[in-house]
């Protein structure tokens, strides 16, 4: 009798998910290296190594447990599935719905022909805490879809950091307590992972591929569940106590600080969001981490991550083409070649991404994203860069973050642009101490470009933004500048953006796979 096949996407590498049978005898398991997906985006080479190595290690682990596992290299995921169905005469193919809009549509269109049984990627048997329908139900009928409301809903629904129906400590968010700079602070050393023989073979493969970002040298991300769990343990033992206080801080030469570094493994399902939330609550309840740190961590996993994933499906495909501020400028070349900028904050944070494929959320939002916002960079151009450059980035997570938060291309779930001058970067980092530009000057050759770009941006979009109660004060400040000051600021901004060199030679196929 024909048995079903189970398709495990590269993002579904966890045996508890419904795309992996409980009984090895239930049917065959298929994993596919999609050539179309690998060529669709000029991914960081460390990201390619991470995904491929994690897939191969997962397949190897299933085989050791007695599963009938096939891992093939095929033109696309669906081509690999079709070949497997023919070869095994599978009665049906059980799979979780892909996490990207283009792949999801393609799988749905092929479902009848291939016998695909597509299960929700959230809720019971899925990776995310909510099913897509549950998020849609929550969002339905709301005039404003806001993270703060969703986060409260998820806290009440889950019971994490709650007491008698109220938030533990009396506050839903301790974000105001989590904005300390880390100048003079020495974060704990990070223990990384030496590549094993399997990972080294994949590194050798990827090193020869042309047209991708970064290099494979120095790869040290976790590629197995065991490694990911060990990283999670070390985070709570060594860095979680300081996470909340320093989560927004930036330091030259300290890429990791007190961050958990779990997102690459989490987005491959080597870790589950539920187990991380439960661990956060356990550590706080035992008194091993402060409530402010626990809440900051929980807000990112239970709140923001689930919210962003829900927003992605709520707003696609319109989200991809959103451009509220009509930003059209090409992405500057220094995003791919960090040595080409003399701005220390950008050179340091972009250089870190080129080297590691990593940057924490404030570097992404308030340096890289903030620059793209102020300079009027095309939203899809900067979104594509985020997708390619970071080891933990996939369209479902980067697109709403970039378009909604970083560059304010979509205002359906955010209240204002996250625009900031150089003073914010100076407050939260030591970048400005090492920069040839003066963070206290608003215009001129020596002025910090973030300063004049900020004021130019605010003036350009005054008609749209002035009525926002959180921004009106800024326009009163602008109006107090004399006419010569305002003209000098605008001239500095115009001269700077005119001198930006567009990036060239990179191509993207958003829906390939």
């Amino acid at each position: 009798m024909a048995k079903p096949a189970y398709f495990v996407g590269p993002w579904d590498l966890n045996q508890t998910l419904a795309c992996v049978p409980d009984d090895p005898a239930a049917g065959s398991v298929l994993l596919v290296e999609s050539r179309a997906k690998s060529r669709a985006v000029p991914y960081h080479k460390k990201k390619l190594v991470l995904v491929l190595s994690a897939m191969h290690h997962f397949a190897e682990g299933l085989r050791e447990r007695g599963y009938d596992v096939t891992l093939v290299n095929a033109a696309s995921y669906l081509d690999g599935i079709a070949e497997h169905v023919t070869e095994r005469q599978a009665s049906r193919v059980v799979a979780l719905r892909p996490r990207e809009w283009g792949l999801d549509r393609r799988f749905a269109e092929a479902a009848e022909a291939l016998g695909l049984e597509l299960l929700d990627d959230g809720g019971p048997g899925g990776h995310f805490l909510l099913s897509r329908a549950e998020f849609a139900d929550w969002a339905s009928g709301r005039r404003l879809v806001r993270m703060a409301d969703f986060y409260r809903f998820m806290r009440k629904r889950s019971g994490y950091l709650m007491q008698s129906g109220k938030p533990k400590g009396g506050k839903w968010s301790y974000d105001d307590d989590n904005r300390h700079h880390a100048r003079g602070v020495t974060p704990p050393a990070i223990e990384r992972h030496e590549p094993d023989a399997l990972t080294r073979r994949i590194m050798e493969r990827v090193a020869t591929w042309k047209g991708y970002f970064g290099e494979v040298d120095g790869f040290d991300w976790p590629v197995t569940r065991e490694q990911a769990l060990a990283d999670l343990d070390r985070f709570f033992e060594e860095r979680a106590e300081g996470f909340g206080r320093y989560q927004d801080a930036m330091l030259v030469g300290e890429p990791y600080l007190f961050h958990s570094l779990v997102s690459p493994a989490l987005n491959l399902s080597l870790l589950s969001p539920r187990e991380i939330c439960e661990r956060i609550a356990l550590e706080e309840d035992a008194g091993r981490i402060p409530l402010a740190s626990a809440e900051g961590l929980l807000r990112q996993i239970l709140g923001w991550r689930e919210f962003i994933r829900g927003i992605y499906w709520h707003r696609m495909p319109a989200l991809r083409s959103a451009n509220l501020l009509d930003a059209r400028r090409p992405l500057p070349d220094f995003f791919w070649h960090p040595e080409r900028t003399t701005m220390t904050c950008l050179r340091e944070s972009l250089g870190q991404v080129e080297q590691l494929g990593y940057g924490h959320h404030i570097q992404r939002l308030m340096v890289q994203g903030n620059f793209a916002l102020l300079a009027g960079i095309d939203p899809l151009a900067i979104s594509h860069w985020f997708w390619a450059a970071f080891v933990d980035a996939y369209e479902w997570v980067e697109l709403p973050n970039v378009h909604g938060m970083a560059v304010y291309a979509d205002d359906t779930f955010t209240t204002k642009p996250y625009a900031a001058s150089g003073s914010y970067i100076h407050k939260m980092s030591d970048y400005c101490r090492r920069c040839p530009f003066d963070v206290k000057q608003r215009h001129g050759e020596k002025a910090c470009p973030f300063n004049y770009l900020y004021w130019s941006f605010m003036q350009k979009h005054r008609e749209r933004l002035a009525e926002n109660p959180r921004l009106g004060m800024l326009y009163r400040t602008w109006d107090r500048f004399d006419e010569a000051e305002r003209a000098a600021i605008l001239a500095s901004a115009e001269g700077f953006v005119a001198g930006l060199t567009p990036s060239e030679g990179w191509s993207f196929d958003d829906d390939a796979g």
Side-chain angles (χ1 to χ4, degrees), residues 143-267:
R143 185 176 65 86
L144 299 175
V145 182
R146 295 290 183 256
M147 156 62 181
D149 298 330
F150 177 77
Y151 179 48
R152 293 185 183 196
F153 162 75
M154 290 296 285
R155 289 277 294 275
K156 293 175 182 177
R157 185 180 189 271
S158 67
Y160 295 129
L161 301 185
M162 298 289 288
Q163 284 182 329
S164 304
K166 295 184 179 181
K168 201 167 186 179
K171 294 169 61 176
W172 291 105
S173 171
Y174 288 82
D175 195 35
D176 290 343
D177 298 336
N178 296 337
R179 295 174 180 170
H180 294 258
H181 68 75
R183 293 187 289 275
V185 174
T186 302
I190 302 289
E191 184 177 343
R192 306 303 288 153
H193 301 281
E194 185 69 25
D196 62 9
L198 175 54
T199 298
R200 288 196 299 273
R201 288 196 296 271
I202 291 171
M203 291 171 67
E204 291 171 1
R205 280 179 62 194
V206 174
T208 65
W209 294 1
K210 306 299 183 183
Y212 295 90
F213 186 49
E215 300 296 339
V216 303
D217 296 339
F219 177 85
D220 55 10
W221 292 100
V223 295
T224 67
R225 175 162 169 77
E226 292 72 23
Q227 289 179 339
L229 286 170
D231 280 359
L232 189 66
D233 286 341
R234 282 194 291 268
F235 167 68
F236 280 106
E237 292 166 2
E238 301 170 3
R239 303 191 307 285
E241 188 278 333
F243 168 79
R245 189 180 308 115
Y246 300 118
Q247 64 176 289
D248 287 4
M250 298 173 283
L251 290 178
V252 171
E254 292 289 353
Y256 305 127
L257 291 171
F258 293 86
H259 289 269
S260 68
L261 312 185
V262 300
S263 56
L266 180 60
N267 289 350

Side-chain angles (χ1 to χ4, degrees), residues 7-13 31-32 51 54-55 77 267-269 394:
F7 171 72
V8 177
W11 46 85
D12 293 327
L13 306 181
L31 293 92
V32 177
V51 175
M55 287 175 62
Y77 294 121
N267 289 350
L268 294 175
S269 295
Y394 302 88

Side-chain angles (χ1 to χ4, degrees), residues 329 332 334-335 341 343 345-346 367-377 419-422 425 441-444 447-461 465 475 478 486 488-500:
R329 187 163 286 110
F334 57 70
F335 273 79
T341 179
M343 297 172 64
C345 58
L346 284 168
V367 179
Q368 298 150 4
N370 185 32
F371 178 86
L373 170 70
L374 301 182
I377 306 303
S421 66
I425 298 170
Q441 292 188 35
R442 287 192 287 264
H443 57 82
C448 171
F450 272 101
N451 290 342
Y452 49 71
L453 289 175
Y454 172 77
W455 287 112
S456 175
F457 170 85
M458 298 303 295
Q459 176 62 10
K460 179 179 180 180
H461 299 290
L465 302 177
Y475 288 104
W478 170 260
R486 293 196 296 266
I489 289 170
L490 297 179
S492 292
E494 184 178 351
F496 179 86
V497 296
L500 295 175

